[in-house]
């Protein structure tokens, strides 16, 4: 997934003040290896480590390479709704950067005038839900006892700013139940 992230995605650099190619830093790479090799990963990290950004980039790759008969359902839970919405927005931004040819011949043609090149890969794209043509769905929810209500078959669960989630173990237990 590192190859995909570094070759096809860009991100905003506060140091440079503009978009730059996404460069995975060593600690981000260790995190990426962990989430690729393990079913469950918890990152205890300092602020501004780029874990949320690399998580969104990894989740983008998961959506791109998902099989139509096994789409990803991603649930992003933040301590506040705006935190999870920011994560969803970042994921949406990365998905929009993916080269059209990666989505298949239904969405790309070498003819620059082809309608395929403008056909949307998004079935739904708003501040709390993304749904792609391949069946992948991403939800943004605030923490709480009903964070996962109405969402089943969650394949990827992302808790952002988990240290600030009130009643974290109860929220986590309820959300993990949606992954069963």
């Amino acid at each position: 997934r590192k190859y995909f992230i570094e070759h096809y995605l860009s991100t905003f650099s506060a140091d440079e003040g503009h978009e730059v190619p996404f460069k995975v830093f060593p600690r981000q790479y260790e995190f990426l290896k962990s989430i690729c090799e393990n079913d469950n990963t918890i990152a205890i990290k300092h602020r501004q480590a780029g874990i949320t950004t690399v998580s969104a980039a990894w989740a983008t790759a998961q959506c791109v390479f998902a099989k139509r008969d096994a789409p990803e359902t991603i649930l992003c839970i933040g301590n506040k709704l705006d935190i999870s919405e920011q994560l969803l927005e970042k994921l949406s931004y990365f998905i929009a950067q993916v080269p059209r040819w990666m989505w298949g011949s239904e969405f790309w043609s070498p003819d620059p005038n082809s309608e395929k090149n403008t056909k949307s890969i998004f079935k739904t794209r708003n501040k709390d839900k993304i749904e792609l043509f391949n069946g992948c769905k991403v939800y943004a929810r605030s923490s709480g006892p009903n964070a996962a209500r109405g969402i089943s078959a969650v394949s990827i669960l992302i808790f952002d700013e988990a240290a600030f989630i009130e009643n974290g173990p109860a929220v986590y237990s309820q959300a993990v139940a949606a992954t069963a």
Side-chain angles (χ1 to χ4, degrees):
R1 300 298 185 218
K2 180 180 183 230
Y3 181 90
F4 170 82
I5 292 168
E6 290 190 334
H7 286 82
Y8 299 109
L9 303 181
S10 64
T11 189
F12 182 80
S13 168
D15 293 338
E16 298 188 35
H18 58 86
E19 289 292 314
V20 297
F22 198 127
K23 172 74 172 120
V24 177
F25 296 117
R27 288 194 179 185
Q28 289 174 318
Y29 179 65
E30 290 303 316
F31 178 72
L32 267 177
K33 276 181 31 181
S34 179
I35 59 179
C36 289
E37 295 171 1
N38 302 290
D39 287 338
N40 300 299
T41 299
I42 296 174
I44 300 172
K45 50 90 178 171
H46 60 84
R47 301 238 345 114
Q48 303 303 317
I51 296 301
T52 298
T53 301
V54 81
S55 295
W58 172 79
T60 297
Q62 296 302 107
C63 289
V64 170
F65 300 115
K67 293 180 176 30
R68 283 190 188 223
D69 62 342
E72 300 288 354
T73 299
I74 303 170
L75 175 57
C76 305
I77 297 177
N79 62 320
K80 295 184 221 165
L81 184 57
D82 68 321
I83 295 295
S84 59
E85 286 175 347
Q86 287 171 20
L87 178 58
L88 185 100
E89 183 179 331
K90 194 171 288 210
L91 220 153
S92 178
Y93 175 70
F94 285 149
I95 288 170
Q97 291 180 28
V98 174
R100 301 222 26 117
W101 59 265
M102 283 190 166
W103 297 113
S105 62
E106 187 179 337
F107 297 92
W108 180 80
S109 169
D111 175 7
N113 298 319
S114 173
E115 289 182 16
K116 291 180 178 183
N117 295 327
T118 58
K119 186 176 177 182
S120 181
I121 58 170
F122 296 95
K123 288 176 79 177
T124 305
R125 185 181 187 186
N126 57 48
K127 66 181 186 173
D128 61 353
K129 181 182 178 186
I130 296 170
E131 185 175 359
L132 299 175
F133 74 94
N134 65 0
C136 291
K137 297 175 186 164
V138 186
Y139 298 91
R141 296 283 176 87
S142 65
S143 62
N146 297 315
R149 183 176 216 111
I151 303 172
S152 59
V154 172
S155 52
I156 299 172
L157 178 59
I158 301 174
F159 271 81
D160 201 14
E161 301 285 346
F164 300 102
I165 293 177
E166 284 186 40
N167 202 11
V171 173
Y172 178 76
S173 295
Q174 190 267 345
V176 167
T179 66

